[in-house]
Amino acid sequence: MNTSTQARYSKGAMLFHWVIAIAVIANWRIAEAAEHAEMPAKAEIFGYHKALGITILVLTIGRLLWRWAHPVPPLPSTLAKWEAALARTVHVIFYVLLIGLPIGGWLANSLTGRSVDMFGLFTIPPLPVGMNEALGKSIFDLHGLGGEIFIYLIALHILGALKHTFIDKNGGIFRMLPFGKV
């Protein structure tokens, strides 16, 4: 039987989770702000979106490395099979999007001849893929669609955590917090 400590994620996993979660939501809001801005402010705001996207990619790689070195707690045994399958599927899709969206954004920028300025600290050059404006635009469109899907999955994830915590009373959200009863 799991004790409260064994049922929780490690402190490192918690830190990665919450920093990435905040960064993803902030980056979504930055992209929304950029979409409604006029040039040249639009380009400047998208610059922050790109830099934060690459930061999220680096954090996600760190999180995956951490996860491989620190086992995750098992899902609560009280979950229905469909809930466990949905949780695992959503988590896999999260990782695909956390890696795929920044790489897709970098690729689309590269295809349109743009580098990524990392908050004025350094510049990430375009990938060596040549210019292809049409393909770059298509990838930008897919990037936007992936971002929308991500936001809906985040909402589903939050609703699931709240359901497990307050309806099922299995302390679901406290698995990823250093306090509360699991």
Side-chain angles (χ1 to χ4, degrees):
M1 181 173 169
N2 282 337
T3 66
S4 175
T5 304
Q6 294 169 324
R8 286 187 205 283
Y9 283 83
S10 67
K11 291 199 181 345
M14 289 180 198
L15 182 63
F16 274 117
H17 174 272
W18 291 109
V19 169
I20 291 170
I22 291 166
V24 165
I25 302 234
N27 217 21
W28 165 55
R29 298 307 306 147
I30 291 168
E32 288 293 315
E35 285 293 333
H36 297 95
E38 298 293 326
M39 292 301 270
K42 181 176 195 149
E44 182 181 351
I45 297 167
F46 264 127
Y48 294 120
H49 174 76
K50 295 172 194 180
L52 188 52
I54 296 296
T55 303
I56 291 166
L57 174 62
V58 170
L59 288 168
T60 300
I61 292 167
R63 183 173 180 183
L64 283 169
L65 293 171
W66 183 271
R67 184 179 174 122
W68 285 323
H70 300 82
V72 299
L75 290 172
S77 59
T78 57
L79 291 184
K81 287 184 184 192
W82 69 268
E83 289 175 309
L86 181 60
R88 286 187 183 99
T89 301
V90 168
H91 280 98
V92 167
I93 295 170
F94 276 171
Y95 282 113
V96 168
L97 292 171
L98 285 166
I99 292 168
L101 287 173
I103 290 174
W106 185 16
L107 176 60
N109 275 282
S110 298
L111 288 165
T112 57
R114 297 183 207 127
S115 56
V116 177
D117 176 68
M118 291 299 293
F119 305 109
L121 300 172
F122 59 92
T123 300
I124 298 174
L127 294 165
V129 292
M131 291 285 292
N132 188 331
E133 294 275 341
L135 181 57
K137 183 185 179 325
S138 295
I139 294 172
F140 277 131
D141 290 343
L142 287 172
H143 179 84
L145 177 61
E148 284 183 44
I149 291 168
F150 202 1
I151 294 303
Y152 290 119
L153 288 175
I154 289 168
L156 178 66
H157 180 67
I158 292 168
L159 288 173
L162 294 173
K163 175 201 177 281
H164 295 305
T165 302
F166 299 110
I167 295 173
D168 300 342
K169 304 218 186 279
N170 69 8
I173 201 167
F174 299 113
R175 291 164 42 87
M176 194 50 84
L177 291 170
F179 56 84
K181 185 177 179 191
V182 179

mmCIF file of all heavy atoms in Angstrom, residues 59-105:
data_model
loop_
_atom_site.group_PDB
_atom_site.id
_atom_site.type_symbol
_atom_site.label_atom_id
_atom_site.label_comp_id
_atom_site.label_asym_id
_atom_site.label_seq_id
_atom_site.Cartn_x
_atom_site.Cartn_y
_atom_site.Cartn_z
ATOM 1 N N LEU A 59 13.296 22.763 -20.778
ATOM 2 C CA LEU A 59 12.746 22.296 -19.500
ATOM 3 C C LEU A 59 12.105 20.911 -19.638
ATOM 4 O O LEU A 59 12.232 20.066 -18.751
ATOM 5 C CB LEU A 59 11.721 23.291 -18.953
ATOM 6 C CG LEU A 59 12.280 24.603 -18.412
ATOM 7 C CD1 LEU A 59 11.148 25.603 -18.180
ATOM 8 C CD2 LEU A 59 13.057 24.358 -17.131
ATOM 9 N N THR A 60 11.431 20.691 -20.754
ATOM 10 C CA THR A 60 10.780 19.393 -20.978
ATOM 11 C C THR A 60 11.809 18.282 -21.125
ATOM 12 O O THR A 60 11.625 17.187 -20.585
ATOM 13 C CB THR A 60 9.864 19.454 -22.217
ATOM 14 O OG1 THR A 60 8.870 20.463 -21.988
ATOM 15 C CG2 THR A 60 9.197 18.121 -22.483
ATOM 16 N N ILE A 61 12.884 18.555 -21.822
ATOM 17 C CA ILE A 61 13.957 17.558 -21.931
ATOM 18 C C ILE A 61 14.515 17.271 -20.536
ATOM 19 O O ILE A 61 14.733 16.110 -20.170
ATOM 20 C CB ILE A 61 15.038 18.025 -22.927
ATOM 21 C CG1 ILE A 61 14.470 18.034 -24.344
ATOM 22 C CG2 ILE A 61 16.276 17.137 -22.837
ATOM 23 C CD1 ILE A 61 15.321 18.759 -25.367
ATOM 24 N N GLY A 62 14.715 18.317 -19.753
ATOM 25 C CA GLY A 62 15.159 18.125 -18.373
ATOM 26 C C GLY A 62 14.173 17.306 -17.567
ATOM 27 O O GLY A 62 14.554 16.421 -16.786
ATOM 28 N N ARG A 63 12.897 17.589 -17.758
ATOM 29 C CA ARG A 63 11.866 16.838 -17.033
ATOM 30 C C ARG A 63 11.872 15.362 -17.430
ATOM 31 O O ARG A 63 11.731 14.486 -16.582
ATOM 32 C CB ARG A 63 10.490 17.440 -17.285
ATOM 33 C CG ARG A 63 9.415 16.723 -16.496
ATOM 34 C CD ARG A 63 8.077 17.376 -16.592
ATOM 35 N NE ARG A 63 7.113 16.621 -15.795
ATOM 36 C CZ ARG A 63 5.846 16.907 -15.724
ATOM 37 N NH1 ARG A 63 5.365 17.946 -16.363
ATOM 38 N NH2 ARG A 63 5.030 16.171 -14.996
ATOM 39 N N LEU A 64 12.027 15.086 -18.707
ATOM 40 C CA LEU A 64 12.075 13.690 -19.152
ATOM 41 C C LEU A 64 13.289 12.970 -18.574
ATOM 42 O O LEU A 64 13.183 11.818 -18.135
ATOM 43 C CB LEU A 64 12.067 13.607 -20.672
ATOM 44 C CG LEU A 64 10.711 13.840 -21.330
ATOM 45 C CD1 LEU A 64 10.865 14.008 -22.836
ATOM 46 C CD2 LEU A 64 9.746 12.719 -20.998
ATOM 47 N N LEU A 65 14.440 13.641 -18.569
ATOM 48 C CA LEU A 65 15.634 13.042 -17.976
ATOM 49 C C LEU A 65 15.412 12.781 -16.485
ATOM 50 O O LEU A 65 15.793 11.728 -15.966
ATOM 51 C CB LEU A 65 16.856 13.941 -18.200
ATOM 52 C CG LEU A 65 17.316 14.069 -19.646
ATOM 53 C CD1 LEU A 65 18.387 15.152 -19.776
ATOM 54 C CD2 LEU A 65 17.810 12.734 -20.187
ATOM 55 N N TRP A 66 14.797 13.734 -15.816
ATOM 56 C CA TRP A 66 14.481 13.567 -14.392
ATOM 57 C C TRP A 66 13.545 12.373 -14.202
ATOM 58 O O TRP A 66 13.733 11.544 -13.317
ATOM 59 C CB TRP A 66 13.851 14.842 -13.832
ATOM 60 C CG TRP A 66 13.577 14.744 -12.364
ATOM 61 C CD1 TRP A 66 12.431 14.266 -11.774
ATOM 62 C CD2 TRP A 66 14.452 15.071 -11.298
ATOM 63 N NE1 TRP A 66 12.551 14.303 -10.408
ATOM 64 C CE2 TRP A 66 13.785 14.799 -10.089
ATOM 65 C CE3 TRP A 66 15.737 15.591 -11.249
ATOM 66 C CZ2 TRP A 66 14.365 15.024 -8.850
ATOM 67 C CZ3 TRP A 66 16.307 15.827 -10.020
ATOM 68 C CH2 TRP A 66 15.627 15.532 -8.839
ATOM 69 N N ARG A 67 12.540 12.287 -15.058
ATOM 70 C CA ARG A 67 11.539 11.220 -14.939
ATOM 71 C C ARG A 67 12.167 9.839 -15.117
ATOM 72 O O ARG A 67 11.795 8.888 -14.440
ATOM 73 C CB ARG A 67 10.438 11.452 -15.978
ATOM 74 C CG ARG A 67 9.296 10.471 -15.890
ATOM 75 C CD ARG A 67 8.240 10.766 -16.935
ATOM 76 N NE ARG A 67 7.234 9.740 -16.910
ATOM 77 C CZ ARG A 67 5.949 9.956 -16.708
ATOM 78 N NH1 ARG A 67 5.512 11.174 -16.520
ATOM 79 N NH2 ARG A 67 5.104 8.960 -16.712
ATOM 80 N N TRP A 68 13.122 9.739 -16.047
ATOM 81 C CA TRP A 68 13.782 8.446 -16.256
ATOM 82 C C TRP A 68 14.625 8.047 -15.054
ATOM 83 O O TRP A 68 14.825 6.866 -14.799
ATOM 84 C CB TRP A 68 14.623 8.466 -17.523
ATOM 85 C CG TRP A 68 13.790 8.398 -18.771
ATOM 86 C CD1 TRP A 68 12.653 7.680 -18.955
ATOM 87 C CD2 TRP A 68 14.020 9.075 -19.998
ATOM 88 N NE1 TRP A 68 12.155 7.874 -20.225
ATOM 89 C CE2 TRP A 68 12.981 8.728 -20.890
ATOM 90 C CE3 TRP A 68 15.005 9.946 -20.436
ATOM 91 C CZ2 TRP A 68 12.906 9.219 -22.181
ATOM 92 C CZ3 TRP A 68 14.924 10.427 -21.731
ATOM 93 C CH2 TRP A 68 13.882 10.069 -22.588
ATOM 94 N N ALA A 69 15.144 9.018 -14.325
ATOM 95 C CA ALA A 69 15.981 8.735 -13.164
ATOM 96 C C ALA A 69 15.191 8.618 -11.861
ATOM 97 O O ALA A 69 15.703 8.106 -10.877
ATOM 98 C CB ALA A 69 17.045 9.830 -13.021
ATOM 99 N N HIS A 70 13.961 9.109 -11.852
ATOM 100 C CA HIS A 70 13.130 9.106 -10.644
ATOM 101 C C HIS A 70 11.751 8.535 -10.996
ATOM 102 O O HIS A 70 10.954 9.230 -11.620
ATOM 103 C CB HIS A 70 12.971 10.525 -10.092
ATOM 104 C CG HIS A 70 14.273 11.161 -9.728
ATOM 105 N ND1 HIS A 70 15.080 11.777 -10.668
ATOM 106 C CD2 HIS A 70 14.919 11.257 -8.548
ATOM 107 C CE1 HIS A 70 16.164 12.232 -10.058
ATOM 108 N NE2 HIS A 70 16.095 11.927 -8.778
ATOM 109 N N PRO A 71 11.480 7.317 -10.594
ATOM 110 C CA PRO A 71 10.203 6.695 -10.957
ATOM 111 C C PRO A 71 9.000 7.513 -10.484
ATOM 112 O O PRO A 71 9.054 8.147 -9.435
ATOM 113 C CB PRO A 71 10.242 5.340 -10.248
ATOM 114 C CG PRO A 71 11.628 5.165 -9.738
ATOM 115 C CD PRO A 71 12.299 6.491 -9.740
ATOM 116 N N VAL A 72 7.973 7.479 -11.298
ATOM 117 C CA VAL A 72 6.745 8.189 -10.935
ATOM 118 C C VAL A 72 5.888 7.280 -10.052
ATOM 119 O O VAL A 72 5.954 6.055 -10.157
ATOM 120 C CB VAL A 72 5.953 8.626 -12.187
ATOM 121 C CG1 VAL A 72 6.774 9.574 -13.036
ATOM 122 C CG2 VAL A 72 5.490 7.447 -12.995
ATOM 123 N N PRO A 73 5.088 7.880 -9.182
ATOM 124 C CA PRO A 73 4.212 7.050 -8.356
ATOM 125 C C PRO A 73 3.142 6.387 -9.225
ATOM 126 O O PRO A 73 2.756 6.934 -10.263
ATOM 127 C CB PRO A 73 3.591 8.042 -7.377
ATOM 128 C CG PRO A 73 3.694 9.367 -8.044
ATOM 129 C CD PRO A 73 4.917 9.303 -8.912
ATOM 130 N N PRO A 74 2.671 5.233 -8.804
ATOM 131 C CA PRO A 74 1.618 4.592 -9.595
ATOM 132 C C PRO A 74 0.319 5.398 -9.523
ATOM 133 O O PRO A 74 0.101 6.152 -8.565
ATOM 134 C CB PRO A 74 1.451 3.225 -8.917
ATOM 135 C CG PRO A 74 1.956 3.429 -7.529
ATOM 136 C CD PRO A 74 3.019 4.479 -7.613
ATOM 137 N N LEU A 75 -0.504 5.228 -10.542
ATOM 138 C CA LEU A 75 -1.826 5.860 -10.503
ATOM 139 C C LEU A 75 -2.626 5.240 -9.368
ATOM 140 O O LEU A 75 -2.424 4.061 -9.026
ATOM 141 C CB LEU A 75 -2.551 5.653 -11.833
ATOM 142 C CG LEU A 75 -1.989 6.421 -13.026
ATOM 143 C CD1 LEU A 75 -2.669 5.971 -14.317
ATOM 144 C CD2 LEU A 75 -2.164 7.917 -12.829
ATOM 145 N N PRO A 76 -3.544 5.991 -8.776
ATOM 146 C CA PRO A 76 -4.361 5.419 -7.712
ATOM 147 C C PRO A 76 -5.104 4.168 -8.196
ATOM 148 O O PRO A 76 -5.617 4.134 -9.314
ATOM 149 C CB PRO A 76 -5.349 6.541 -7.375
ATOM 150 C CG PRO A 76 -4.673 7.799 -7.830
ATOM 151 C CD PRO A 76 -3.848 7.402 -9.021
ATOM 152 N N SER A 77 -5.138 3.163 -7.359
ATOM 153 C CA SER A 77 -5.796 1.899 -7.730
ATOM 154 C C SER A 77 -7.309 2.057 -7.848
ATOM 155 O O SER A 77 -7.976 1.188 -8.404
ATOM 156 C CB SER A 77 -5.458 0.814 -6.710
ATOM 157 O OG SER A 77 -5.880 1.216 -5.420
ATOM 158 N N THR A 78 -7.836 3.167 -7.355
ATOM 159 C CA THR A 78 -9.279 3.399 -7.413
ATOM 160 C C THR A 78 -9.748 3.921 -8.769
ATOM 161 O O THR A 78 -10.950 4.018 -8.999
ATOM 162 C CB THR A 78 -9.687 4.404 -6.322
ATOM 163 O OG1 THR A 78 -8.931 5.608 -6.507
ATOM 164 C CG2 THR A 78 -9.433 3.845 -4.927
ATOM 165 N N LEU A 79 -8.810 4.245 -9.662
ATOM 166 C CA LEU A 79 -9.209 4.756 -10.971
ATOM 167 C C LEU A 79 -9.852 3.649 -11.805
ATOM 168 O O LEU A 79 -9.393 2.509 -11.803
ATOM 169 C CB LEU A 79 -8.000 5.284 -11.745
ATOM 170 C CG LEU A 79 -7.311 6.542 -11.259
ATOM 171 C CD1 LEU A 79 -6.205 6.931 -12.241
ATOM 172 C CD2 LEU A 79 -8.273 7.689 -11.089
ATOM 173 N N ALA A 80 -10.891 4.037 -12.523
ATOM 174 C CA ALA A 80 -11.471 3.115 -13.499
ATOM 175 C C ALA A 80 -10.444 2.904 -14.611
ATOM 176 O O ALA A 80 -9.588 3.765 -14.841
ATOM 177 C CB ALA A 80 -12.763 3.706 -14.061
ATOM 178 N N LYS A 81 -10.541 1.784 -15.297
ATOM 179 C CA LYS A 81 -9.573 1.500 -16.362
ATOM 180 C C LYS A 81 -9.567 2.594 -17.429
ATOM 181 O O LYS A 81 -8.507 2.970 -17.931
ATOM 182 C CB LYS A 81 -9.850 0.132 -16.990
ATOM 183 C CG LYS A 81 -9.462 -1.002 -16.085
ATOM 184 C CD LYS A 81 -9.636 -2.340 -16.741
ATOM 185 C CE LYS A 81 -9.300 -3.383 -15.684
ATOM 186 N NZ LYS A 81 -9.138 -4.689 -16.137
ATOM 187 N N TRP A 82 -10.739 3.110 -17.774
ATOM 188 C CA TRP A 82 -10.797 4.148 -18.791
ATOM 189 C C TRP A 82 -10.136 5.431 -18.296
ATOM 190 O O TRP A 82 -9.518 6.148 -19.079
ATOM 191 C CB TRP A 82 -12.230 4.413 -19.260
ATOM 192 C CG TRP A 82 -13.118 5.075 -18.239
ATOM 193 C CD1 TRP A 82 -13.942 4.467 -17.335
ATOM 194 C CD2 TRP A 82 -13.258 6.481 -18.023
ATOM 195 N NE1 TRP A 82 -14.582 5.414 -16.567
ATOM 196 C CE2 TRP A 82 -14.181 6.657 -16.974
ATOM 197 C CE3 TRP A 82 -12.701 7.620 -18.612
ATOM 198 C CZ2 TRP A 82 -14.562 7.910 -16.497
ATOM 199 C CZ3 TRP A 82 -13.079 8.870 -18.138
ATOM 200 C CH2 TRP A 82 -14.000 9.009 -17.097
ATOM 201 N N GLU A 83 -10.242 5.721 -16.987
ATOM 202 C CA GLU A 83 -9.594 6.911 -16.438
ATOM 203 C C GLU A 83 -8.073 6.769 -16.471
ATOM 204 O O GLU A 83 -7.365 7.717 -16.823
ATOM 205 C CB GLU A 83 -10.038 7.151 -14.988
ATOM 206 C CG GLU A 83 -11.467 7.629 -14.854
ATOM 207 C CD GLU A 83 -11.895 7.739 -13.407
ATOM 208 O OE1 GLU A 83 -11.711 6.775 -12.637
ATOM 209 O OE2 GLU A 83 -12.416 8.817 -13.050
ATOM 210 N N ALA A 84 -7.585 5.606 -16.116
ATOM 211 C CA ALA A 84 -6.135 5.361 -16.154
ATOM 212 C C ALA A 84 -5.622 5.456 -17.591
ATOM 213 O O ALA A 84 -4.577 6.068 -17.847
ATOM 214 C CB ALA A 84 -5.811 4.004 -15.542
ATOM 215 N N ALA A 85 -6.372 4.881 -18.535
ATOM 216 C CA ALA A 85 -5.962 4.935 -19.948
ATOM 217 C C ALA A 85 -5.986 6.375 -20.456
ATOM 218 O O ALA A 85 -5.060 6.799 -21.169
ATOM 219 C CB ALA A 85 -6.867 4.049 -20.799
ATOM 220 N N LEU A 86 -7.005 7.135 -20.077
ATOM 221 C CA LEU A 86 -7.101 8.534 -20.494
ATOM 222 C C LEU A 86 -5.952 9.340 -19.891
ATOM 223 O O LEU A 86 -5.324 10.148 -20.585
ATOM 224 C CB LEU A 86 -8.454 9.126 -20.090
ATOM 225 C CG LEU A 86 -8.703 10.576 -20.486
ATOM 226 C CD1 LEU A 86 -8.631 10.750 -22.005
ATOM 227 C CD2 LEU A 86 -10.056 11.045 -19.952
ATOM 228 N N ALA A 87 -5.658 9.118 -18.620
ATOM 229 C CA ALA A 87 -4.557 9.841 -17.964
ATOM 230 C C ALA A 87 -3.235 9.566 -18.669
ATOM 231 O O ALA A 87 -2.468 10.497 -18.959
ATOM 232 C CB ALA A 87 -4.466 9.451 -16.490
ATOM 233 N N ARG A 88 -2.961 8.309 -18.953
ATOM 234 C CA ARG A 88 -1.701 7.964 -19.632
ATOM 235 C C ARG A 88 -1.648 8.566 -21.037
ATOM 236 O O ARG A 88 -0.614 9.082 -21.457
ATOM 237 C CB ARG A 88 -1.533 6.449 -19.687
ATOM 238 C CG ARG A 88 -1.167 5.858 -18.340
ATOM 239 C CD ARG A 88 -0.838 4.376 -18.434
ATOM 240 N NE ARG A 88 -0.577 3.844 -17.118
ATOM 241 C CZ ARG A 88 -1.456 3.178 -16.381
ATOM 242 N NH1 ARG A 88 -2.660 2.942 -16.850
ATOM 243 N NH2 ARG A 88 -1.123 2.734 -15.180
ATOM 244 N N THR A 89 -2.764 8.505 -21.752
ATOM 245 C CA THR A 89 -2.816 9.045 -23.114
ATOM 246 C C THR A 89 -2.583 10.553 -23.110
ATOM 247 O O THR A 89 -1.798 11.066 -23.913
ATOM 248 C CB THR A 89 -4.169 8.705 -23.771
ATOM 249 O OG1 THR A 89 -4.324 7.286 -23.802
ATOM 250 C CG2 THR A 89 -4.273 9.272 -25.171
ATOM 251 N N VAL A 90 -3.260 11.256 -22.207
ATOM 252 C CA VAL A 90 -3.099 12.711 -22.134
ATOM 253 C C VAL A 90 -1.657 13.066 -21.786
ATOM 254 O O VAL A 90 -1.075 13.979 -22.376
ATOM 255 C CB VAL A 90 -4.108 13.335 -21.150
ATOM 256 C CG1 VAL A 90 -3.757 14.791 -20.842
ATOM 257 C CG2 VAL A 90 -5.523 13.243 -21.717
ATOM 258 N N HIS A 91 -1.039 12.321 -20.862
ATOM 259 C CA HIS A 91 0.350 12.614 -20.503
ATOM 260 C C HIS A 91 1.298 12.391 -21.692
ATOM 261 O O HIS A 91 2.216 13.188 -21.913
ATOM 262 C CB HIS A 91 0.792 11.800 -19.284
ATOM 263 C CG HIS A 91 0.327 12.396 -18.000
ATOM 264 N ND1 HIS A 91 -0.791 11.957 -17.340
ATOM 265 C CD2 HIS A 91 0.819 13.419 -17.271
ATOM 266 C CE1 HIS A 91 -0.958 12.681 -16.253
ATOM 267 N NE2 HIS A 91 -0.001 13.586 -16.185
ATOM 268 N N VAL A 92 1.072 11.349 -22.456
ATOM 269 C CA VAL A 92 1.906 11.110 -23.647
ATOM 270 C C VAL A 92 1.716 12.251 -24.646
ATOM 271 O O VAL A 92 2.693 12.784 -25.192
ATOM 272 C CB VAL A 92 1.583 9.739 -24.292
ATOM 273 C CG1 VAL A 92 2.202 9.626 -25.680
ATOM 274 C CG2 VAL A 92 2.061 8.606 -23.390
ATOM 275 N N ILE A 93 0.468 12.656 -24.867
ATOM 276 C CA ILE A 93 0.204 13.759 -25.799
ATOM 277 C C ILE A 93 0.845 15.050 -25.289
ATOM 278 O O ILE A 93 1.389 15.833 -26.072
ATOM 279 C CB ILE A 93 -1.306 13.927 -26.051
ATOM 280 C CG1 ILE A 93 -1.869 12.694 -26.776
ATOM 281 C CG2 ILE A 93 -1.587 15.192 -26.864
ATOM 282 C CD1 ILE A 93 -3.385 12.652 -26.855
ATOM 283 N N PHE A 94 0.805 15.285 -23.967
ATOM 284 C CA PHE A 94 1.480 16.460 -23.404
ATOM 285 C C PHE A 94 2.953 16.479 -23.797
ATOM 286 O O PHE A 94 3.469 17.495 -24.251
ATOM 287 C CB PHE A 94 1.385 16.476 -21.873
ATOM 288 C CG PHE A 94 0.111 17.059 -21.314
ATOM 289 C CD1 PHE A 94 -0.147 16.946 -19.965
ATOM 290 C CD2 PHE A 94 -0.808 17.719 -22.103
ATOM 291 C CE1 PHE A 94 -1.301 17.477 -19.415
ATOM 292 C CE2 PHE A 94 -1.976 18.256 -21.563
ATOM 293 C CZ PHE A 94 -2.211 18.138 -20.214
ATOM 294 N N TYR A 95 3.638 15.353 -23.609
ATOM 295 C CA TYR A 95 5.065 15.313 -23.937
ATOM 296 C C TYR A 95 5.291 15.503 -25.435
ATOM 297 O O TYR A 95 6.231 16.200 -25.838
ATOM 298 C CB TYR A 95 5.714 14.020 -23.443
ATOM 299 C CG TYR A 95 5.993 14.050 -21.964
ATOM 300 C CD1 TYR A 95 5.304 13.219 -21.090
ATOM 301 C CD2 TYR A 95 6.942 14.914 -21.424
ATOM 302 C CE1 TYR A 95 5.547 13.250 -19.717
ATOM 303 C CE2 TYR A 95 7.194 14.951 -20.065
ATOM 304 C CZ TYR A 95 6.497 14.122 -19.217
ATOM 305 O OH TYR A 95 6.741 14.167 -17.876
ATOM 306 N N VAL A 96 4.450 14.918 -26.268
ATOM 307 C CA VAL A 96 4.569 15.105 -27.718
ATOM 308 C C VAL A 96 4.426 16.591 -28.058
ATOM 309 O O VAL A 96 5.212 17.145 -28.832
ATOM 310 C CB VAL A 96 3.525 14.252 -28.473
ATOM 311 C CG1 VAL A 96 3.426 14.658 -29.939
ATOM 312 C CG2 VAL A 96 3.857 12.766 -28.336
ATOM 313 N N LEU A 97 3.447 17.256 -27.445
ATOM 314 C CA LEU A 97 3.238 18.678 -27.728
ATOM 315 C C LEU A 97 4.332 19.552 -27.118
ATOM 316 O O LEU A 97 4.764 20.528 -27.733
ATOM 317 C CB LEU A 97 1.854 19.117 -27.228
ATOM 318 C CG LEU A 97 0.670 18.522 -27.999
ATOM 319 C CD1 LEU A 97 -0.640 18.841 -27.302
ATOM 320 C CD2 LEU A 97 0.658 19.011 -29.437
ATOM 321 N N LEU A 98 4.785 19.214 -25.917
ATOM 322 C CA LEU A 98 5.838 19.996 -25.269
ATOM 323 C C LEU A 98 7.149 19.952 -26.052
ATOM 324 O O LEU A 98 7.956 20.875 -25.972
ATOM 325 C CB LEU A 98 6.073 19.496 -23.838
ATOM 326 C CG LEU A 98 5.009 19.876 -22.814
ATOM 327 C CD1 LEU A 98 5.164 19.050 -21.538
ATOM 328 C CD2 LEU A 98 5.061 21.369 -22.506
ATOM 329 N N ILE A 99 7.350 18.895 -26.792
ATOM 330 C CA ILE A 99 8.543 18.777 -27.631
ATOM 331 C C ILE A 99 8.231 19.219 -29.066
ATOM 332 O O ILE A 99 8.981 19.978 -29.676
ATOM 333 C CB ILE A 99 9.083 17.332 -27.602
ATOM 334 C CG1 ILE A 99 9.617 17.027 -26.201
ATOM 335 C CG2 ILE A 99 10.165 17.112 -28.665
ATOM 336 C CD1 ILE A 99 9.923 15.568 -25.951
ATOM 337 N N GLY A 100 7.102 18.757 -29.589
ATOM 338 C CA GLY A 100 6.763 19.017 -30.984
ATOM 339 C C GLY A 100 6.430 20.466 -31.294
ATOM 340 O O GLY A 100 6.818 20.975 -32.360
ATOM 341 N N LEU A 101 5.731 21.152 -30.397
ATOM 342 C CA LEU A 101 5.370 22.545 -30.682
ATOM 343 C C LEU A 101 6.599 23.454 -30.778
ATOM 344 O O LEU A 101 6.718 24.216 -31.747
ATOM 345 C CB LEU A 101 4.364 23.078 -29.654
ATOM 346 C CG LEU A 101 2.942 22.534 -29.794
ATOM 347 C CD1 LEU A 101 2.066 22.989 -28.633
ATOM 348 C CD2 LEU A 101 2.322 22.944 -31.117
ATOM 349 N N PRO A 102 7.527 23.403 -29.831
ATOM 350 C CA PRO A 102 8.709 24.267 -29.994
ATOM 351 C C PRO A 102 9.559 23.900 -31.217
ATOM 352 O O PRO A 102 10.033 24.790 -31.927
ATOM 353 C CB PRO A 102 9.505 24.043 -28.700
ATOM 354 C CG PRO A 102 8.515 23.540 -27.713
ATOM 355 C CD PRO A 102 7.502 22.768 -28.511
ATOM 356 N N ILE A 103 9.722 22.602 -31.462
ATOM 357 C CA ILE A 103 10.516 22.207 -32.633
ATOM 358 C C ILE A 103 9.791 22.621 -33.912
ATOM 359 O O ILE A 103 10.416 23.115 -34.855
ATOM 360 C CB ILE A 103 10.829 20.695 -32.604
ATOM 361 C CG1 ILE A 103 11.823 20.407 -31.472
ATOM 362 C CG2 ILE A 103 11.375 20.223 -33.951
ATOM 363 C CD1 ILE A 103 12.102 18.936 -31.239
ATOM 364 N N GLY A 104 8.481 22.444 -33.947
ATOM 365 C CA GLY A 104 7.707 22.880 -35.111
ATOM 366 C C GLY A 104 7.789 24.379 -35.322
ATOM 367 O O GLY A 104 7.934 24.852 -36.458
ATOM 368 N N GLY A 105 7.718 25.141 -34.230
ATOM 369 C CA GLY A 105 7.851 26.593 -34.337
ATOM 370 C C GLY A 105 9.231 26.995 -34.851
ATOM 371 O O GLY A 105 9.357 27.881 -35.706
#
